[in-house]
């Protein structure tokens, strides 16, 4: 089931994406597998938030790599 994200890149403070690439007839086709976006939490240090977003990206990569 697909869920549409209403937080666009333009409006998000942070976002991560996971892609896959396929080569079809000598042309690279990029397909977005996941997009996760969010807003900044001003009660938490920015360094901590960036670490959380990098962890999300790492976890998405591991999930799709093993799929």
């Amino acid at each position: 089931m697909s869920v549409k994200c209403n937080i666009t890149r333009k409006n998000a403070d942070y976002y991560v994406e996971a892609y896959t690439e396929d080569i079809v007839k000598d042309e690279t086709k990029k397909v977005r597998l996941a997009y996760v976006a969010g807003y900044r939490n001003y009660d938490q240090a920015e360094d901590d938030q960036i670490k959380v977003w990098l962890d999300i990206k790492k976890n998405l990569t591991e999930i799709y790599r093993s799929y």
Side-chain angles (χ1 to χ4, degrees), residues 11-55:
N11 296 326
D13 290 322
Y14 304 107
Y15 69 90
V16 294
E17 297 175 311
Y19 287 95
T20 185
E21 290 184 353
D22 292 326
I23 299 176
V24 179
K25 296 182 183 176
D26 296 330
E27 185 177 320
T28 302
K29 182 180 176 186
K30 206 173 195 183
V31 177
R32 183 167 63 181
L33 301 172
Y35 170 77
V36 181
Y39 298 112
R40 181 168 185 213
N41 179 353
Y42 289 95
D43 295 331
Q44 189 178 13
E46 188 172 14
D47 291 346
D48 294 338
Q49 292 179 66
I50 291 171
K51 182 182 180 319
V52 168
W53 282 99
L54 290 174
D55 288 343

Side-chain angles (χ1 to χ4, degrees), residues 6-14 38-39:
N6 293 321
I7 304 173
T8 63
R9 289 183 199 162
K10 179 179 160 186
N11 296 326
D13 290 322
Y14 304 107
Y39 298 112

